[in-house]
Amino acid sequence: MLKIMVMNEELNKNLKVSETFETEIYFEMAQKLYGTCASQCEELYHIAIRTTEEFKNVTPEAILEDSRIIKILRYCMLPCQSQMKFGQLLGLSSTSKFEDVKVKPGTVSYRELQKVAIAVCDLFQEYMDKQRFLWLNVQLNKPQKQLALTYAKNWTCSLIANQNSTTEFRNWRKELQENTAVKQLLEAGYTQVEKRQKISQVEDLLPGQFSRECVVEGINPQKADFVVRLKKSKKLLLIEAKAIGVKLDSHKRLKECREKFEDWRQSFGRKGCETAAFLSGFLTEKGCESLLELGSLIFWEHNKSLYDYVAEE
């Protein structure tokens, strides 16, 4: 009973630290990413304003001059359109290839853009958010027009920056967590197998090796974020990394872990593998206990628990 109480106390302590850790990371980096995205959007918006004469003449020529303004046009519509949704309206899978880089004349992408440029203009004209661009609807004096131009720019850039920075943060956060795990494994003397491995038996990795994002054979082949071959016990350590920003999401995310862990344990047996979650963020005590009851391990991103374990095993 005393041991259980100590374990629960330690778990609750880590849960609180993890929440603080995740909150600090979020606000520090999300604000930086938002600022970067907003700056990029502002420059793109100015290009769109120049090439379309303040959206009075959205023409195929303007779009072909700088294909990246399609991103601005999508967010000037009501409702705003995603790349895939807008692409679908044009008969394409997405507009990303036109927006990620400025399409150059003579390329395949340029010829594809020529075919849909008129449709882009038509869709914009039909679904443009007219209330946002007051100078197109009513007569304004010079100060009023300048205010309207600034208002529309800030509105549009904020929409884009919020969406893009959220995506950028999610990708950055995943990379940060995985890099933290890699750092601890390397510091413990493990070596990384650069080529992604497909793991079907324990011997697919040598003792002291690890690999990222491996497909692990089982009842249902599934990806593990990390597969480590422990140096002393020679077991596989199969790790799922989860950084959870919203506690309501934790049930689903940890359920995914449990399902994978159960599959891997059936495939490799207790003598062949250990399963573990490398966690950060907002989690419930009940959810974490469900992993421990399964016999899985929990490592925390905010401390060196992963390092401590693999250094001994």
Coordinates of all heavy atoms in Angstrom, one line a residue, residues 41 43-53 55 57-77 86 95 98-103 113 120-121 124 156 160:
C41 N 3.2 36.8 -44.1 CA 1.9 37.0 -44.7 C 1.8 38.5 -45.1 O 1.2 38.8 -46.2 CB 0.8 36.7 -43.7 SG 0.6 35.0 -43.3
E43 N 4.1 40.5 -46.2 CA 4.8 40.8 -47.4 C 4.0 40.2 -48.6 O 3.9 40.8 -49.7 CB 6.2 40.2 -47.4 CG 7.0 40.4 -48.7 CD 8.5 40.5 -48.5 OE1 8.9 40.9 -47.4 OE2 9.2 40.0 -49.4
L44 N 3.5 39.0 -48.4 CA 2.7 38.4 -49.5 C 1.4 39.2 -49.8 O 1.0 39.3 -50.9 CB 2.3 37.0 -49.1 CG 2.0 36.0 -50.2 CD1 3.0 35.9 -51.3 CD2 1.7 34.6 -49.6
Y45 N 0.8 39.7 -48.7 CA -0.4 40.6 -48.9 C -0.1 41.8 -49.7 O -0.8 42.2 -50.6 CB -0.9 41.0 -47.5 CG -2.3 41.7 -47.6 CD1 -3.4 41.0 -47.6 CD2 -2.3 43.1 -47.6 CE1 -4.7 41.6 -47.6 CE2 -3.5 43.7 -47.7 CZ -4.7 43.0 -47.7 OH -5.9 43.6 -47.7
H46 N 1.1 42.4 -49.5 CA 1.5 43.6 -50.2 C 1.7 43.3 -51.7 O 1.4 44.1 -52.6 CB 2.7 44.2 -49.7 CG 2.5 45.0 -48.4 ND1 1.5 46.0 -48.3 CD2 3.1 44.9 -47.2 CE1 1.5 46.4 -47.0 NE2 2.5 45.8 -46.3
I47 N 2.2 42.1 -52.0 CA 2.4 41.6 -53.4 C 1.0 41.5 -54.0 O 0.8 41.9 -55.2 CB 3.2 40.3 -53.4 CG1 4.6 40.5 -53.0 CG2 3.2 39.8 -54.9 CD1 5.4 39.3 -52.8
A48 N 0.1 40.9 -53.3 CA -1.3 40.7 -53.8 C -1.9 42.1 -54.1 O -2.6 42.2 -55.1 CB -2.1 39.9 -52.8
I49 N -1.8 43.0 -53.2 CA -2.4 44.3 -53.3 C -1.8 45.0 -54.6 O -2.5 45.6 -55.4 CB -2.1 45.2 -52.1 CG1 -3.0 44.8 -50.9 CG2 -2.2 46.7 -52.4 CD1 -4.4 45.3 -51.1
R50 N -0.5 44.9 -54.8 CA 0.2 45.5 -55.9 C -0.3 44.9 -57.3 O -0.6 45.6 -58.2 CB 1.7 45.4 -55.8 CG 2.5 45.9 -57.0 CD 4.0 45.9 -56.8 NE 4.4 44.6 -56.4 CZ 4.6 43.6 -57.3 NH1 4.3 43.7 -58.6 NH2 5.1 42.4 -56.9
T51 N -0.2 43.5 -57.3 CA -0.5 42.8 -58.6 C -2.0 42.9 -59.0 O -2.3 42.7 -60.1 CB 0.0 41.4 -58.5 OG1 -0.7 40.7 -57.4 CG2 1.5 41.3 -58.4
T52 N -2.9 43.1 -58.0 CA -4.3 43.1 -58.3 C -4.9 44.5 -58.2 O -6.2 44.6 -58.2 CB -5.1 42.1 -57.3 OG1 -5.0 42.7 -56.0 CG2 -4.5 40.7 -57.3
E53 N -4.1 45.5 -58.0 CA -4.6 46.9 -57.9 C -5.6 46.9 -56.7 O -6.8 47.3 -56.9 CB -5.2 47.4 -59.2 CG -4.2 47.4 -60.3 CD -4.8 47.8 -61.6 OE1 -6.0 48.2 -61.6 OE2 -4.1 47.8 -62.6
F55 N -7.1 44.6 -55.2 CA -8.1 43.6 -55.4 C -9.2 44.0 -56.3 O -10.3 43.4 -56.5 CB -8.8 43.1 -54.0 CG -7.8 42.5 -53.1 CD1 -7.5 43.0 -51.9 CD2 -7.1 41.3 -53.5 CE1 -6.6 42.5 -51.0 CE2 -6.2 40.7 -52.6 CZ -5.9 41.3 -51.4
N57 N -8.7 44.3 -59.6 CA -8.4 43.6 -60.8 C -7.7 42.3 -60.5 O -6.4 42.2 -60.7 CB -7.6 44.4 -61.8 CG -8.5 45.6 -62.4 OD1 -9.5 45.4 -62.9 ND2 -7.9 46.8 -62.2
V58 N -8.4 41.3 -60.1 CA -7.8 40.0 -59.8 C -7.9 39.2 -61.2 O -8.9 38.7 -61.6 CB -8.5 39.2 -58.7 CG1 -7.9 37.9 -58.5 CG2 -8.5 40.0 -57.4
T59 N -6.8 39.2 -61.8 CA -6.7 38.7 -63.2 C -5.8 37.5 -63.3 O -4.9 37.3 -62.4 CB -6.2 39.7 -64.2 OG1 -4.8 40.1 -63.8 CG2 -7.0 41.0 -64.1
P60 N -5.9 36.7 -64.4 CA -5.0 35.6 -64.6 C -3.6 36.0 -64.7 O -2.6 35.4 -64.2 CB -5.5 34.9 -65.9 CG -6.9 35.3 -66.0 CD -7.1 36.6 -65.3
E61 N -3.4 37.2 -65.2 CA -2.0 37.8 -65.4 C -1.4 38.0 -64.0 O -0.2 37.8 -63.8 CB -2.1 39.1 -66.2 CG -2.4 38.9 -67.7 CD -3.8 38.6 -67.9 OE1 -4.7 38.9 -67.1 OE2 -4.1 38.1 -69.0
A62 N -2.2 38.5 -63.0 CA -1.7 38.8 -61.7 C -1.3 37.5 -61.0 O -0.3 37.4 -60.3 CB -2.8 39.5 -60.9
I63 N -2.1 36.5 -61.2 CA -1.8 35.2 -60.6 C -0.6 34.5 -61.2 O 0.2 33.9 -60.5 CB -3.1 34.3 -60.7 CG1 -4.2 34.8 -59.8 CG2 -2.8 32.8 -60.3 CD1 -5.6 34.3 -60.1
L64 N -0.5 34.7 -62.5 CA 0.7 34.1 -63.1 C 2.0 34.9 -62.8 O 3.1 34.3 -62.8 CB 0.5 34.1 -64.7 CG -0.5 33.0 -65.1 CD1 -0.9 33.3 -66.6 CD2 0.0 31.6 -65.0
E65 N 1.8 36.2 -62.5 CA 3.0 37.0 -62.1 C 3.6 36.5 -60.8 O 4.8 36.4 -60.7 CB 2.6 38.4 -62.0 CG 3.8 39.3 -61.6 CD 3.4 40.8 -61.5 OE1 2.4 41.2 -62.1 OE2 4.1 41.5 -60.8
D66 N 2.8 36.1 -59.9 CA 3.2 35.6 -58.6 C 2.2 34.6 -58.0 O 1.2 35.1 -57.4 CB 3.6 36.7 -57.6 CG 4.4 36.2 -56.4 OD1 4.2 35.0 -56.0 OD2 5.2 36.9 -55.9
S67 N 2.4 33.4 -58.3 CA 1.4 32.4 -57.9 C 1.1 32.3 -56.4 O 0.1 31.8 -56.0 CB 1.8 31.0 -58.4 OG 3.1 30.6 -57.8
R68 N 2.1 32.8 -55.6 CA 1.9 32.7 -54.2 C 0.8 33.5 -53.6 O 0.3 33.2 -52.5 CB 3.2 33.1 -53.5 CG 4.4 32.2 -53.8 CD 5.7 32.8 -53.2 NE 6.0 34.1 -53.8 CZ 7.0 34.9 -53.4 NH1 7.8 34.5 -52.4 NH2 7.2 36.1 -54.0
I69 N 0.2 34.5 -54.4 CA -0.9 35.3 -53.9 C -2.2 34.5 -53.8 O -3.1 34.9 -53.2 CB -1.1 36.5 -54.8 CG1 -1.7 36.2 -56.2 CG2 0.2 37.4 -54.9 CD1 -2.2 37.4 -57.0
I70 N -2.2 33.3 -54.4 CA -3.4 32.4 -54.2 C -3.6 32.2 -52.8 O -4.8 32.1 -52.3 CB -3.2 31.1 -55.0 CG1 -3.1 31.3 -56.5 CG2 -4.3 30.1 -54.7 CD1 -2.8 30.1 -57.3
K71 N -2.6 32.1 -52.0 CA -2.8 31.9 -50.5 C -3.6 33.1 -49.9 O -4.5 32.9 -49.1 CB -1.4 31.8 -49.9 CG -1.4 31.6 -48.4 CD 0.0 31.4 -47.8 CE 0.0 31.0 -46.4 NZ 1.3 30.6 -45.9
I72 N -3.2 34.3 -50.3 CA -3.9 35.5 -49.9 C -5.4 35.4 -50.3 O -6.3 35.7 -49.6 CB -3.3 36.8 -50.3 CG1 -1.8 36.9 -49.8 CG2 -4.1 38.0 -49.9 CD1 -1.7 36.9 -48.3
L73 N -5.6 35.1 -51.6 CA -6.9 35.1 -52.2 C -7.8 34.1 -51.4 O -9.0 34.3 -51.2 CB -6.9 34.7 -53.6 CG -6.1 35.7 -54.5 CD1 -6.2 35.3 -56.0 CD2 -6.6 37.1 -54.4
R74 N -7.3 32.9 -51.1 CA -8.1 31.9 -50.3 C -8.6 32.4 -49.0 O -9.7 32.2 -48.6 CB -7.2 30.7 -50.1 CG -6.9 29.8 -51.2 CD -6.3 28.5 -50.8 NE -5.0 28.6 -50.2 CZ -4.8 28.3 -48.9 NH1 -5.8 28.1 -48.1 NH2 -3.5 28.4 -48.4
Y75 N -7.8 33.2 -48.3 CA -8.1 33.7 -47.0 C -9.0 35.0 -47.1 O -9.4 35.6 -46.1 CB -6.9 34.0 -46.2 CG -6.4 32.7 -45.5 CD1 -5.5 31.9 -46.1 CD2 -6.9 32.3 -44.3 CE1 -5.1 30.7 -45.5 CE2 -6.5 31.1 -43.7 CZ -5.6 30.3 -44.3 OH -5.2 29.1 -43.7
C76 N -9.1 35.5 -48.4 CA -10.0 36.7 -48.6 C -11.4 36.3 -48.9 O -12.3 37.1 -49.2 CB -9.4 37.6 -49.7 SG -7.9 38.5 -49.3
M77 N -11.6 35.0 -49.0 CA -12.9 34.4 -49.4 C -13.7 34.1 -48.1 O -13.2 34.0 -47.0 CB -12.7 33.2 -50.2 CG -12.1 33.5 -51.6 SD -11.5 32.0 -52.4 CE -13.1 31.2 -52.8
F86 N -9.8 24.4 -51.8 CA -9.7 25.2 -53.0 C -9.2 24.5 -54.2 O -9.7 24.7 -55.3 CB -8.8 26.4 -52.7 CG -9.0 27.6 -53.6 CD1 -10.2 28.2 -53.8 CD2 -7.9 28.1 -54.3 CE1 -10.4 29.2 -54.7 CE2 -8.0 29.2 -55.1 CZ -9.3 29.8 -55.3
T95 N -3.6 23.3 -53.8 CA -2.9 24.5 -54.5 C -1.5 24.7 -53.9 O -0.9 25.7 -54.2 CB -3.7 25.8 -54.3 OG1 -4.0 26.0 -52.9 CG2 -5.1 25.7 -55.0
F98 N 1.5 25.8 -56.0 CA 1.5 27.1 -56.5 C 1.8 28.1 -55.4 O 2.3 29.3 -55.7 CB 0.1 27.5 -57.1 CG -0.4 26.6 -58.2 CD1 -1.7 26.2 -58.2 CD2 0.5 26.1 -59.1 CE1 -2.2 25.3 -59.2 CE2 0.0 25.2 -60.1 CZ -1.3 24.9 -60.2
E99 N 1.6 27.8 -54.2 CA 1.8 28.7 -53.1 C 3.1 28.6 -52.4 O 3.6 29.6 -51.8 CB 0.7 28.5 -52.1 CG -0.7 28.8 -52.6 CD -1.8 28.5 -51.6 OE1 -1.5 28.6 -50.4 OE2 -2.9 28.1 -52.0
D100 N 3.7 27.4 -52.3 CA 4.9 27.2 -51.6 C 6.1 28.0 -52.2 O 7.0 28.5 -51.4 CB 5.3 25.7 -51.5 CG 4.2 24.9 -50.7 OD1 3.5 25.6 -49.9 OD2 4.2 23.7 -50.8
V101 N 6.2 28.0 -53.5 CA 7.2 28.7 -54.2 C 6.6 29.5 -55.4 O 5.5 29.1 -55.9 CB 8.3 27.8 -54.7 CG1 9.1 27.2 -53.6 CG2 7.8 26.8 -55.7
K102 N 7.2 30.5 -55.8 CA 6.8 31.3 -57.0 C 7.0 30.5 -58.2 O 8.1 30.1 -58.6 CB 7.6 32.6 -57.0 CG 7.1 33.6 -58.1 CD 7.9 34.9 -58.0 CE 7.4 35.9 -59.0 NZ 8.2 37.1 -58.9
V103 N 5.9 30.1 -58.9 CA 6.0 29.3 -60.1 C 6.6 30.0 -61.2 O 6.3 31.2 -61.5 CB 4.6 28.8 -60.5 CG1 4.6 28.0 -61.8 CG2 4.0 27.9 -59.4
L113 N -0.9 26.0 -63.9 CA -1.5 27.2 -63.4 C -2.2 28.0 -64.4 O -3.3 28.6 -64.2 CB -0.4 28.1 -62.7 CG -0.9 29.4 -62.0 CD1 -1.9 29.1 -60.9 CD2 0.3 30.1 -61.4
V120 N -9.6 30.5 -60.8 CA -9.2 31.1 -59.5 C -9.8 32.5 -59.4 O -10.4 32.8 -58.3 CB -7.6 31.2 -59.4 CG1 -7.2 32.0 -58.2 CG2 -7.0 29.8 -59.3
C121 N -9.7 33.2 -60.4 CA -10.3 34.6 -60.4 C -11.8 34.6 -60.2 O -12.3 35.3 -59.5 CB -9.9 35.3 -61.7 SG -8.2 35.5 -62.0
F124 N -12.7 33.7 -56.7 CA -12.5 34.8 -55.8 C -13.6 35.8 -55.9 O -14.1 36.3 -54.9 CB -11.1 35.4 -56.1 CG -10.8 36.6 -55.3 CD1 -10.5 36.6 -54.0 CD2 -11.0 37.9 -55.9 CE1 -10.2 37.7 -53.2 CE2 -10.7 39.1 -55.1 CZ -10.4 39.0 -53.8
T156 N -6.7 39.9 -42.6 CA -6.4 38.8 -43.4 C -5.1 38.1 -42.9 O -5.0 36.9 -42.8 CB -6.2 39.3 -44.9 OG1 -7.3 39.9 -45.3 CG2 -5.8 38.1 -45.8
I160 N -4.4 34.1 -41.5 CA -3.4 33.2 -42.0 C -2.4 32.9 -41.0 O -2.0 31.7 -40.8 CB -2.7 33.9 -43.2 CG1 -3.7 34.2 -44.3 CG2 -1.6 32.9 -43.8 CD1 -3.2 35.0 -45.5

